């Protein structure tokens, strides 16, 4: 287990000390191009969640693989021909065949009944989280499959598999996106900004164009206010506008800042309802900043998990 600081149960109290949660690492596998970490939530804090977290791009040459795979989709025999990115299919096949990721995760779920499974990731990690959750909910374990055709009886009929992602690119077609959103509880975010009278989103979310389709229900997260908006996802092409929007809206630092603003925005709504006072909000904001500073040691503790494992490389970005 590692220690992560979080807000106290009642942060408005002067004597409240930050509390710590202790998720436990259950599984780490894969390679630099697809590296899932599986964590068990802190049961003492009544966290009934198994977290499956995928990292973002780790090698520069991965970008070229994504570009090459953008020229077409390939049927995935593991999900009865649902069309997906060839590169993503290749990475999932390696995880399932070489690393036995699906079997290991199924065993973890079996050992921890009544837990929800939450896949998460940013950018390339977002795509892997979405596609891996889709395959996992579809296949389950061999004993759980129910014959030919699309079947999501693997893990609670797919209903206990949730996906929360930020700034993922497109990886399937319209039918694949429909099936994924129909059978998984999905919350896909896209970082956004307002310029003039138009709301722009991270260009990566609109890439590739052509036969690729964005997942339904993508929510625009405003980078400057932390507010949420409905948004129409279009098609982006590799040009100067693509690079500019990606530079401003794609990377983790901006997403983390926007999510913190979202928390404070929700508190402001509570203030307008009379649930908390401005003084209490300021105290919570102050404690949040204090937690950020205190969390640096815990972040170093987390990074030390990499150690000298096979996930390390001088190509790591």
């Amino acid at each position: 287990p590692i220690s992560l600081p979080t807000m106290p149960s009642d942060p408005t109290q002067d004597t409240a000390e930050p509390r710590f949660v202790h998720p436990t690492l259950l599984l780490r596998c894969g390679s630099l191009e697809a590296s899932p970490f599986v964590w068990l939530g802190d049961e003492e804090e009544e966290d009934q969640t198994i977290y499956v977290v995928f990292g973002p791009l780790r090698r520069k040459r991965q970008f070229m693989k994504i570009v090459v795979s953008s020229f077409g989709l390939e049927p995935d025999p593991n999900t009865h021909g649902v069309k997906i990115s060839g590169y993503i299919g290749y990475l999932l096949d390696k995880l399932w065949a070489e690393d036995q990721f699906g079997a290991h995760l199924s065993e973890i779920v079996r050992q921890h009944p009544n837990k929800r499974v939450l896949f998460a990731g940013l950018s390339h990690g977002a795509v892997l989280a979405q596609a891996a959750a889709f395959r996992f909910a579809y296949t389950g374990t061999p004993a759980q499959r129910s014959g030919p055709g699309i079947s999501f009886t693997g893990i609670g009929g797919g209903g206990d598999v949730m996906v929360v992602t930020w700034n993922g690119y497109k990886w399937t077609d319209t039918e694949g996106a429909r099936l994924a959103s129909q059978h998984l509880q999905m919350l896909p975010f896209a970082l956004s900004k307002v310029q003039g009278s138009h709301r722009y989103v991270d260009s990566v979310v609109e890439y590739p164009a052509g036969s690729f389709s964005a997942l339904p229900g993508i929510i625009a997260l405003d980078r400057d206010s932390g507010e949420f908006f409905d948004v129409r996802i279009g098609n982006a092409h590799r040009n100067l506008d693509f690079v500019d929007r990606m530079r401003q809206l794609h990377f983790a630092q901006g997403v983390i800042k926007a999510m913190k603003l979202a928390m404070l925005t929700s508190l402001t709504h509570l203030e307008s309802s009379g649930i908390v006072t401005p003084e209490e909000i300021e105290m919570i904001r102050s404690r949040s900043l204090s937690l950020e500073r205190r969390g640096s040691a815990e972040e170093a503790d987390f990074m030390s998990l990499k150690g000298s494992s096979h996930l390390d490389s001088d190509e790591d970005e």
Side-chain angles (χ1 to χ4, degrees):
I2 63 171
S3 294
L4 295 176
T6 188
M7 297 296 291
S9 300
D10 186 356
T12 64
Q13 298 297 315
D14 289 333
T15 58
E17 288 293 325
R19 60 191 176 94
F20 288 80
V21 295
H22 302 90
T24 301
L25 181 64
L26 300 179
L27 175 68
R28 175 185 61 186
C29 64
S31 63
L32 280 173
E33 296 187 46
S35 51
F37 287 69
V38 181
W39 298 86
L40 180 65
D42 190 341
E43 293 179 311
E44 292 188 3
E45 294 289 335
E46 300 183 352
D47 186 352
Q48 304 299 316
T49 308
I50 297 168
Y51 298 94
V52 184
V53 184
F54 285 84
L57 286 183
R58 304 285 292 278
R59 287 175 168 168
K60 295 186 175 101
R61 64 170 175 258
Q62 284 182 262
F63 178 75
M64 291 308 303
K65 293 181 180 180
I66 293 170
V67 171
V68 170
S69 68
S70 71
F71 292 106
L73 294 158
E74 300 177 8
D76 179 12
N78 296 279
T79 52
H80 280 269
V82 172
K83 293 182 179 180
I84 66 174
S85 157
Y87 178 47
I88 295 302
Y90 164 75
L91 294 178
L92 293 184
D93 288 346
K94 283 188 64 178
L95 281 175
W96 256 256
E98 296 181 15
D99 297 293
Q100 295 296 303
F101 170 70
H104 289 315
L105 184 54
S106 292
E107 178 61 19
I108 288 171
V109 171
R110 188 193 67 79
Q111 292 177 359
H112 300 88
N114 303 317
K115 305 283 188 185
R116 56 180 171 257
V117 183
L118 174 62
F119 287 74
L122 167 75
S123 183
H124 177 63
V127 176
L128 287 171
Q130 293 166 2
F134 182 77
R135 180 177 290 194
F136 182 68
Y138 175 80
T139 58
T141 62
Q144 294 168 323
R145 299 198 64 173
S146 60
I150 295 295
S151 170
F152 288 84
T153 59
I155 305 296
D160 295 329
V161 180
M162 300 181 291
V163 190
V164 181
T165 55
W166 294 263
N167 290 353
Y169 53 88
K170 302 173 186 176
W171 57 274
T172 187
D173 61 5
T174 302
E175 178 63 9
R178 183 190 68 81
L179 285 169
S181 63
Q182 178 181 344
H183 295 285
L184 298 170
Q185 298 183 53
M186 306 194 76
L187 189 59
F189 291 106
L191 199 61
S192 69
K193 67 170 184 175
V194 171
Q195 185 170 323
S197 59
H198 186 73
R199 177 167 297 278
Y200 294 89
V201 298
D202 171 26
S203 56
V204 173
V205 177
E206 299 185 318
Y207 181 83
S211 56
F212 288 79
S213 178
L215 295 177
I218 291 178
I219 299 171
L221 169 62
D222 190 271
R223 68 167 188 179
D224 298 314
S225 69
E227 294 183 284
F228 303 115
F229 298 90
D230 293 328
V231 67
R232 179 184 175 277
I233 301 299
N235 293 309
H237 302 274
R238 299 189 307 276
N239 51 32
L240 290 178
D241 174 69
F242 180 96
V243 173
D244 185 54
R245 282 195 285 152
M246 180 177 70
R247 178 182 60 82
Q248 295 186 56
L249 298 170
H250 185 65
F251 299 101
Q253 184 177 8
V255 170
I256 292 170
K257 177 184 176 183
M259 290 302 293
K260 290 179 178 179
L261 287 171
M263 181 188 71
L264 295 175
T265 298
S266 69
L267 292 173
T268 302
H269 293 317
L270 292 177
E271 177 192 356
S272 64
S273 301
I275 298 175
V276 296
T277 67
E279 291 76 16
E280 288 172 334
I281 289 179
E282 185 57 37
M283 184 178 296
I284 293 171
R285 181 182 289 109
S286 175
R287 291 189 182 280
S288 176
L289 293 173
S290 175
L291 276 175
E292 187 173 340
R293 291 190 293 269
R294 292 186 61 171
S296 59
E298 285 71 27
E299 181 180 357
D301 183 26
F302 171 79
M303 293 304 293
S304 70
L305 285 169
K306 290 175 63 179
S308 57
S309 74
H310 68 287
L311 294 181
D312 289 323
S313 169
D314 57 4
E315 296 183 65
D316 198 358
E317 292 185 56

